[in-house]
Amino acid sequence: MKSPIFETSLQSTHSILVPSKIAESFVSQNHKRVVVQIQYQNKSVQFHAALQKRKELFSIMFSKKYQKQLGVFPSDYFQVQLLEDTSKYGVEMPEELEAVLQSDPEASEIFESFTAGKKRSLIYYVLGFKNSQTRIDKALIITENLRLGIRNPRELIKKL
């Protein structure tokens, strides 16, 4: 599933409006999570996001990180296209976390029992580190804590 390309600007410092017709075509097919492609002046970014509805308007979070990558300012208009998110978790799983979970079936089973949002928050936490070794170290801490029975996301990321 793919939306037509539409033009929009920042709605607030961290979000963009999505035309209701486009958003509802995704939501009606139970696709609240989407892949967003944004183009501005020969630059583009792609990221995973959730369609959010507030006061009959649909929006998507558009982080400062991506705004800076594109060089977008509040008054700028840019092209957006939404795609169906076919990823398992609604975000790309980092190779390091996936490998650590595959090597630890017990921790993997516990991870899979979490809500989709809790899984995504742990994935985003690991993705936040650029260095591959740091990602591996953080994934190992998470799996150790899962096996110890820790379920609170804030406690899961701490080394004991």
Side-chain angles (χ1 to χ4, degrees):
M1 182 173 191
K2 187 188 283 192
S3 78
I5 295 171
F6 60 94
E7 191 169 80
T8 191
S9 64
L10 290 167
Q11 173 198 9
S12 67
T13 56
H14 291 50
S15 66
I16 57 174
L17 280 177
V18 176
S20 292
K21 185 177 179 181
I22 290 173
E24 285 171 0
S25 70
F26 281 86
V27 173
S28 69
Q29 294 187 36
N30 217 16
H31 298 299
K32 291 183 181 180
R33 297 213 46 94
V34 294
V35 175
V36 183
Q37 292 180 336
I38 299 180
Q39 288 190 316
Y40 178 70
Q41 293 184 346
N42 299 323
K43 293 181 186 173
S44 66
V45 295
Q46 181 172 308
F47 56 92
H48 295 260
L51 285 165
Q52 301 172 336
K53 187 174 185 180
R54 290 193 185 103
K55 298 181 182 176
E56 303 303 314
L57 297 174
F58 286 94
S59 65
I60 288 176
M61 298 304 291
F62 183 32
S63 72
K64 287 285 187 186
K65 170 185 156 186
Y66 293 125
Q67 292 175 38
K68 189 175 179 180
Q69 263 183 282
L70 291 174
V72 170
F73 291 98
S75 60
D76 293 331
Y77 282 82
F78 42 87
Q79 287 73 43
V80 180
Q81 185 171 35
L82 305 182
L83 307 159
E84 178 183 344
D85 186 347
T86 58
S87 66
K88 181 176 181 180
Y89 300 107
V91 63
E92 293 303 318
M93 171 70 96
E95 291 176 26
E96 299 86 350
L97 179 57
E98 186 171 32
V100 170
L101 286 171
Q102 285 177 353
S103 71
D104 190 334
E106 181 185 352
S108 180
E109 188 176 321
I110 296 166
F111 178 82
E112 291 299 332
S113 73
F114 287 165
T115 64
K118 199 172 195 179
K119 289 180 217 175
R120 272 193 303 278
S121 76
L122 290 171
I123 291 168
Y124 277 121
Y125 172 73
V126 174
L127 280 171
F129 298 95
K130 292 179 182 175
N131 183 298
S132 182
Q133 186 59 53
T134 305
R135 287 182 180 195
I136 292 168
D137 295 343
K138 298 301 180 181
L140 288 169
I141 290 169
I142 290 169
T143 55
E144 286 174 32
N145 288 339
L146 287 171
R147 277 188 274 109
L148 291 173
I150 298 170
R151 300 295 179 267
N152 180 332
R154 288 189 177 146
E155 299 298 317
L156 271 171
I157 60 176
K158 293 181 182 175
K159 186 170 181 139
L160 299 179

